[in-house]
Amino acid sequence: MIGANTKKKEFALLSDFSIELDFTSSTSLTSQLEVQLRRSIARMSTGEKLNPERLLAEQLGVSRVTIRNAVNSLVKEGLLVRCGRHGTMVAERKKT
């Protein structure tokens, strides 16, 4: 993770993916996170788990509410699925 005094923070979502948020942008952190998660999800496999909300919030230096709002939006879109104590996972892709 980049130092706490920087304007951007980045971390590994999983081993191969990273998310970067710009705290100086006029775009909300939730919207930025949704875009970054969407890009990462596109490269992930069905059933692959996201880090827990608490860990994501800590790594990015944002509130759990910000993480939850972004994840909830992607759940509503059908990109992610919540599996109770098993965490949040990439949903099965719809066949077109």
Side-chain angles (χ1 to χ4, degrees):
M1 181 164 64
I2 298 174
N5 293 331
T6 61
K7 305 218 189 279
K8 291 186 180 185
K9 290 194 178 182
E10 185 176 340
F11 79 100
L13 176 66
L14 294 168
S15 57
D16 297 331
F17 306 114
S18 66
I19 289 182
E20 186 176 305
L21 299 177
D22 183 351
F23 288 74
T24 63
S25 174
S26 61
T27 304
S28 74
L29 293 173
T30 300
S31 295
Q32 290 181 56
L33 185 56
E34 285 177 30
V35 168
Q36 296 286 327
L37 283 172
R38 205 174 275 113
R39 287 182 186 150
S40 295
I41 290 166
R43 296 177 282 166
M44 295 168 70
S45 301
T46 298
E48 206 167 337
K49 288 175 66 173
L50 266 61
N51 290 345
E53 288 178 0
R54 178 191 50 74
L55 181 58
L56 291 173
E58 183 180 305
Q59 289 174 320
L60 285 172
V62 298
S63 73
R64 285 180 70 181
V65 173
T66 299
I67 302 295
R68 184 168 294 132
N69 288 341
V71 169
N72 283 343
S73 178
L74 298 175
V75 167
K76 287 178 185 175
E77 288 180 32
L79 297 175
L80 295 173
V81 62
R82 292 193 185 274
C83 299
R85 291 196 280 164
H86 298 288
T88 303
M89 300 177 191
V90 176
E92 187 172 338
R93 288 172 174 76
K94 296 176 182 168
K95 296 176 184 177
T96 56

Short mmCIF file of all heavy atoms in Angstrom, two decimals, residues 17-54:
data_model
loop_
_atom_site.label_atom_id
_atom_site.label_comp_id
_atom_site.label_asym_id
_atom_site.label_seq_id
_atom_site.Cartn_x
_atom_site.Cartn_y
_atom_site.Cartn_z
N PHE A 17 -4.36 -8.51 -9.23
CA PHE A 17 -5.13 -7.32 -9.54
C PHE A 17 -4.87 -6.23 -8.53
O PHE A 17 -4.58 -6.49 -7.37
CB PHE A 17 -6.63 -7.63 -9.57
CG PHE A 17 -6.97 -8.77 -10.47
CD1 PHE A 17 -7.46 -9.95 -9.96
CD2 PHE A 17 -6.77 -8.68 -11.84
CE1 PHE A 17 -7.77 -11.01 -10.79
CE2 PHE A 17 -7.08 -9.73 -12.67
CZ PHE A 17 -7.58 -10.90 -12.15
N SER A 18 -5.01 -4.99 -8.95
CA SER A 18 -4.86 -3.89 -8.01
C SER A 18 -5.97 -2.86 -8.25
O SER A 18 -6.57 -2.81 -9.31
CB SER A 18 -3.49 -3.23 -8.15
OG SER A 18 -3.37 -2.60 -9.39
N ILE A 19 -6.22 -2.09 -7.21
CA ILE A 19 -7.22 -1.04 -7.26
C ILE A 19 -6.55 0.24 -6.82
O ILE A 19 -5.81 0.26 -5.84
CB ILE A 19 -8.42 -1.37 -6.34
CG1 ILE A 19 -9.21 -2.51 -6.95
CG2 ILE A 19 -9.29 -0.15 -6.10
CD1 ILE A 19 -10.42 -2.91 -6.17
N GLU A 20 -6.82 1.31 -7.54
CA GLU A 20 -6.24 2.61 -7.21
C GLU A 20 -7.38 3.62 -7.09
O GLU A 20 -8.20 3.74 -7.99
CB GLU A 20 -5.27 3.03 -8.30
CG GLU A 20 -4.52 4.30 -7.98
CD GLU A 20 -3.51 4.64 -9.04
OE1 GLU A 20 -2.65 3.80 -9.34
OE2 GLU A 20 -3.60 5.75 -9.58
N LEU A 21 -7.40 4.33 -5.97
CA LEU A 21 -8.40 5.37 -5.75
C LEU A 21 -7.71 6.72 -5.68
O LEU A 21 -6.65 6.85 -5.08
CB LEU A 21 -9.17 5.13 -4.45
CG LEU A 21 -9.95 3.83 -4.35
CD1 LEU A 21 -10.59 3.70 -2.98
CD2 LEU A 21 -11.00 3.75 -5.45
N ASP A 22 -8.32 7.72 -6.28
CA ASP A 22 -7.79 9.09 -6.26
C ASP A 22 -8.65 9.92 -5.31
O ASP A 22 -9.79 10.26 -5.62
CB ASP A 22 -7.82 9.68 -7.67
CG ASP A 22 -7.21 11.06 -7.74
OD1 ASP A 22 -6.91 11.66 -6.68
OD2 ASP A 22 -7.02 11.54 -8.87
N PHE A 23 -8.08 10.21 -4.15
CA PHE A 23 -8.81 10.93 -3.12
C PHE A 23 -9.00 12.41 -3.46
O PHE A 23 -9.75 13.11 -2.78
CB PHE A 23 -8.09 10.79 -1.77
CG PHE A 23 -8.22 9.42 -1.17
CD1 PHE A 23 -7.51 8.35 -1.69
CD2 PHE A 23 -9.07 9.20 -0.12
CE1 PHE A 23 -7.65 7.08 -1.15
CE2 PHE A 23 -9.22 7.94 0.43
CZ PHE A 23 -8.51 6.87 -0.09
N THR A 24 -8.36 12.89 -4.52
CA THR A 24 -8.51 14.30 -4.92
C THR A 24 -9.51 14.47 -6.06
O THR A 24 -9.82 15.58 -6.44
CB THR A 24 -7.16 14.89 -5.36
OG1 THR A 24 -6.67 14.19 -6.51
CG2 THR A 24 -6.13 14.79 -4.23
N SER A 25 -10.01 13.37 -6.59
CA SER A 25 -10.92 13.41 -7.73
C SER A 25 -12.30 13.91 -7.31
O SER A 25 -12.74 13.72 -6.18
CB SER A 25 -11.05 12.01 -8.32
OG SER A 25 -12.03 11.99 -9.33
N SER A 26 -13.00 14.52 -8.27
CA SER A 26 -14.38 14.94 -8.02
C SER A 26 -15.33 13.74 -8.11
O SER A 26 -16.49 13.83 -7.69
CB SER A 26 -14.80 16.02 -9.01
OG SER A 26 -14.74 15.52 -10.32
N THR A 27 -14.85 12.63 -8.65
CA THR A 27 -15.65 11.40 -8.71
C THR A 27 -15.62 10.75 -7.34
O THR A 27 -14.57 10.63 -6.72
CB THR A 27 -15.06 10.43 -9.76
OG1 THR A 27 -15.00 11.09 -11.02
CG2 THR A 27 -15.88 9.17 -9.88
N SER A 28 -16.79 10.32 -6.87
CA SER A 28 -16.87 9.73 -5.52
C SER A 28 -15.99 8.49 -5.41
O SER A 28 -15.76 7.78 -6.40
CB SER A 28 -18.31 9.38 -5.17
OG SER A 28 -18.72 8.23 -5.88
N LEU A 29 -15.54 8.21 -4.20
CA LEU A 29 -14.73 7.02 -3.96
C LEU A 29 -15.53 5.76 -4.28
O LEU A 29 -14.99 4.80 -4.83
CB LEU A 29 -14.24 6.99 -2.51
CG LEU A 29 -13.24 8.09 -2.14
CD1 LEU A 29 -12.95 8.06 -0.65
CD2 LEU A 29 -11.95 7.94 -2.93
N THR A 30 -16.81 5.77 -3.96
CA THR A 30 -17.66 4.62 -4.26
C THR A 30 -17.71 4.36 -5.76
O THR A 30 -17.55 3.22 -6.22
CB THR A 30 -19.08 4.82 -3.70
OG1 THR A 30 -19.01 4.99 -2.28
CG2 THR A 30 -19.99 3.65 -4.04
N SER A 31 -17.90 5.41 -6.55
CA SER A 31 -17.94 5.26 -8.02
C SER A 31 -16.60 4.79 -8.57
O SER A 31 -16.56 3.92 -9.45
CB SER A 31 -18.33 6.58 -8.68
OG SER A 31 -19.65 6.93 -8.33
N GLN A 32 -15.51 5.35 -8.05
CA GLN A 32 -14.18 4.91 -8.49
C GLN A 32 -13.98 3.43 -8.18
O GLN A 32 -13.47 2.67 -9.00
CB GLN A 32 -13.09 5.71 -7.79
CG GLN A 32 -12.97 7.15 -8.20
CD GLN A 32 -11.84 7.82 -7.46
OE1 GLN A 32 -10.70 7.37 -7.50
NE2 GLN A 32 -12.16 8.90 -6.76
N LEU A 33 -14.40 3.03 -6.98
CA LEU A 33 -14.24 1.65 -6.56
C LEU A 33 -15.08 0.71 -7.42
O LEU A 33 -14.60 -0.36 -7.81
CB LEU A 33 -14.61 1.51 -5.08
CG LEU A 33 -14.39 0.15 -4.45
CD1 LEU A 33 -12.95 -0.31 -4.60
CD2 LEU A 33 -14.80 0.19 -2.98
N GLU A 34 -16.30 1.11 -7.75
CA GLU A 34 -17.15 0.29 -8.62
C GLU A 34 -16.46 0.04 -9.96
O GLU A 34 -16.44 -1.09 -10.45
CB GLU A 34 -18.49 0.97 -8.86
CG GLU A 34 -19.43 0.91 -7.70
CD GLU A 34 -20.71 1.68 -7.97
OE1 GLU A 34 -21.13 1.77 -9.15
OE2 GLU A 34 -21.29 2.20 -7.01
N VAL A 35 -15.91 1.09 -10.56
CA VAL A 35 -15.24 0.97 -11.86
C VAL A 35 -14.05 0.02 -11.75
O VAL A 35 -13.86 -0.88 -12.59
CB VAL A 35 -14.80 2.35 -12.38
CG1 VAL A 35 -13.85 2.23 -13.57
CG2 VAL A 35 -16.00 3.19 -12.74
N GLN A 36 -13.23 0.21 -10.72
CA GLN A 36 -12.04 -0.62 -10.53
C GLN A 36 -12.41 -2.08 -10.26
O GLN A 36 -11.79 -3.00 -10.81
CB GLN A 36 -11.19 -0.07 -9.39
CG GLN A 36 -10.62 1.31 -9.64
CD GLN A 36 -9.47 1.29 -10.63
OE1 GLN A 36 -8.71 0.33 -10.69
NE2 GLN A 36 -9.35 2.34 -11.40
N LEU A 37 -13.42 -2.30 -9.43
CA LEU A 37 -13.86 -3.67 -9.14
C LEU A 37 -14.42 -4.34 -10.39
O LEU A 37 -14.15 -5.50 -10.66
CB LEU A 37 -14.92 -3.68 -8.04
CG LEU A 37 -14.42 -3.50 -6.61
CD1 LEU A 37 -15.58 -3.33 -5.65
CD2 LEU A 37 -13.54 -4.67 -6.20
N ARG A 38 -15.19 -3.58 -11.18
CA ARG A 38 -15.76 -4.12 -12.42
C ARG A 38 -14.65 -4.61 -13.35
O ARG A 38 -14.75 -5.68 -13.95
CB ARG A 38 -16.60 -3.03 -13.09
CG ARG A 38 -17.67 -3.55 -14.00
CD ARG A 38 -18.58 -2.45 -14.53
NE ARG A 38 -19.65 -2.15 -13.58
CZ ARG A 38 -19.77 -1.01 -12.92
NH1 ARG A 38 -18.91 -0.02 -13.10
NH2 ARG A 38 -20.77 -0.82 -12.09
N ARG A 39 -13.59 -3.83 -13.46
CA ARG A 39 -12.45 -4.22 -14.31
C ARG A 39 -11.78 -5.49 -13.78
O ARG A 39 -11.41 -6.37 -14.55
CB ARG A 39 -11.42 -3.10 -14.39
CG ARG A 39 -11.87 -1.95 -15.23
CD ARG A 39 -10.81 -0.87 -15.30
NE ARG A 39 -11.33 0.28 -16.01
CZ ARG A 39 -10.96 1.53 -15.79
NH1 ARG A 39 -10.03 1.80 -14.88
NH2 ARG A 39 -11.48 2.51 -16.47
N SER A 40 -11.61 -5.55 -12.47
CA SER A 40 -10.98 -6.73 -11.87
C SER A 40 -11.86 -7.96 -12.03
O SER A 40 -11.37 -9.05 -12.34
CB SER A 40 -10.69 -6.48 -10.38
OG SER A 40 -9.74 -5.45 -10.24
N ILE A 41 -13.16 -7.80 -11.81
CA ILE A 41 -14.10 -8.92 -11.90
C ILE A 41 -14.08 -9.51 -13.31
O ILE A 41 -14.18 -10.72 -13.48
CB ILE A 41 -15.52 -8.46 -11.52
CG1 ILE A 41 -15.57 -8.18 -10.02
CG2 ILE A 41 -16.57 -9.47 -11.93
CD1 ILE A 41 -16.80 -7.40 -9.57
N ALA A 42 -13.93 -8.66 -14.32
CA ALA A 42 -13.90 -9.13 -15.71
C ALA A 42 -12.76 -10.11 -15.95
O ALA A 42 -12.84 -10.96 -16.85
CB ALA A 42 -13.79 -7.94 -16.66
N ARG A 43 -11.71 -10.03 -15.15
CA ARG A 43 -10.54 -10.91 -15.31
C ARG A 43 -10.53 -12.06 -14.30
O ARG A 43 -9.60 -12.86 -14.30
CB ARG A 43 -9.26 -10.10 -15.18
CG ARG A 43 -9.13 -9.06 -16.30
CD ARG A 43 -7.90 -8.22 -16.13
NE ARG A 43 -8.19 -7.23 -15.08
CZ ARG A 43 -7.29 -6.49 -14.47
NH1 ARG A 43 -6.04 -6.61 -14.77
NH2 ARG A 43 -7.64 -5.63 -13.55
N MET A 44 -11.54 -12.12 -13.45
CA MET A 44 -11.60 -13.15 -12.42
C MET A 44 -12.50 -14.30 -12.86
O MET A 44 -13.33 -14.14 -13.75
CB MET A 44 -12.11 -12.54 -11.11
CG MET A 44 -11.16 -11.50 -10.53
SD MET A 44 -11.88 -10.53 -9.18
CE MET A 44 -11.98 -11.75 -7.89
N SER A 45 -12.34 -15.42 -12.20
CA SER A 45 -13.15 -16.61 -12.50
C SER A 45 -14.41 -16.63 -11.65
O SER A 45 -14.43 -16.11 -10.53
CB SER A 45 -12.34 -17.87 -12.20
OG SER A 45 -11.17 -17.91 -12.96
N THR A 46 -15.44 -17.26 -12.15
CA THR A 46 -16.66 -17.45 -11.39
C THR A 46 -16.31 -18.14 -10.07
O THR A 46 -15.54 -19.10 -10.04
CB THR A 46 -17.65 -18.33 -12.18
OG1 THR A 46 -18.00 -17.66 -13.38
CG2 THR A 46 -18.91 -18.62 -11.38
N GLY A 47 -16.87 -17.62 -8.99
CA GLY A 47 -16.65 -18.20 -7.67
C GLY A 47 -15.42 -17.69 -6.95
O GLY A 47 -15.21 -18.00 -5.78
N GLU A 48 -14.60 -16.90 -7.63
CA GLU A 48 -13.41 -16.35 -6.99
C GLU A 48 -13.83 -15.31 -5.95
O GLU A 48 -14.73 -14.51 -6.18
CB GLU A 48 -12.51 -15.71 -8.06
CG GLU A 48 -11.06 -15.68 -7.68
CD GLU A 48 -10.16 -15.34 -8.85
OE1 GLU A 48 -10.55 -15.55 -10.02
OE2 GLU A 48 -9.05 -14.87 -8.57
N LYS A 49 -13.18 -15.35 -4.79
CA LYS A 49 -13.59 -14.51 -3.67
C LYS A 49 -12.88 -13.16 -3.66
O LYS A 49 -11.70 -13.07 -4.00
CB LYS A 49 -13.27 -15.20 -2.35
CG LYS A 49 -14.18 -16.37 -2.05
CD LYS A 49 -13.77 -17.12 -0.81
CE LYS A 49 -13.94 -16.27 0.42
NZ LYS A 49 -13.70 -17.04 1.66
N LEU A 50 -13.62 -12.14 -3.27
CA LEU A 50 -13.04 -10.84 -2.98
C LEU A 50 -12.53 -10.85 -1.55
O LEU A 50 -13.01 -11.63 -0.73
CB LEU A 50 -14.10 -9.74 -3.09
CG LEU A 50 -14.23 -9.01 -4.43
CD1 LEU A 50 -14.60 -9.96 -5.52
CD2 LEU A 50 -15.21 -7.88 -4.31
N ASN A 51 -11.61 -9.96 -1.26
CA ASN A 51 -11.18 -9.80 0.13
C ASN A 51 -12.37 -9.33 0.95
O ASN A 51 -13.26 -8.66 0.42
CB ASN A 51 -10.05 -8.77 0.23
CG ASN A 51 -8.75 -9.26 -0.35
OD1 ASN A 51 -8.56 -10.44 -0.59
ND2 ASN A 51 -7.84 -8.34 -0.60
N PRO A 52 -12.39 -9.63 2.25
CA PRO A 52 -13.49 -9.16 3.10
C PRO A 52 -13.57 -7.63 3.10
O PRO A 52 -12.55 -6.94 2.96
CB PRO A 52 -13.11 -9.67 4.49
CG PRO A 52 -12.16 -10.80 4.24
CD PRO A 52 -11.44 -10.45 2.98
N GLU A 53 -14.78 -7.10 3.30
CA GLU A 53 -14.99 -5.64 3.31
C GLU A 53 -14.07 -4.94 4.29
O GLU A 53 -13.52 -3.90 4.00
CB GLU A 53 -16.45 -5.32 3.66
CG GLU A 53 -17.42 -5.64 2.56
CD GLU A 53 -18.85 -5.36 2.96
OE1 GLU A 53 -19.10 -4.90 4.10
OE2 GLU A 53 -19.74 -5.59 2.11
N ARG A 54 -13.94 -5.52 5.47
CA ARG A 54 -13.10 -4.91 6.51
C ARG A 54 -11.66 -4.75 6.02
O ARG A 54 -11.04 -3.70 6.18
CB ARG A 54 -13.13 -5.78 7.78
CG ARG A 54 -12.26 -5.27 8.90
CD ARG A 54 -12.11 -6.29 10.02
NE ARG A 54 -11.74 -7.64 9.59
CZ ARG A 54 -10.52 -8.00 9.18
NH1 ARG A 54 -9.56 -7.12 9.12
NH2 ARG A 54 -10.28 -9.24 8.80
#
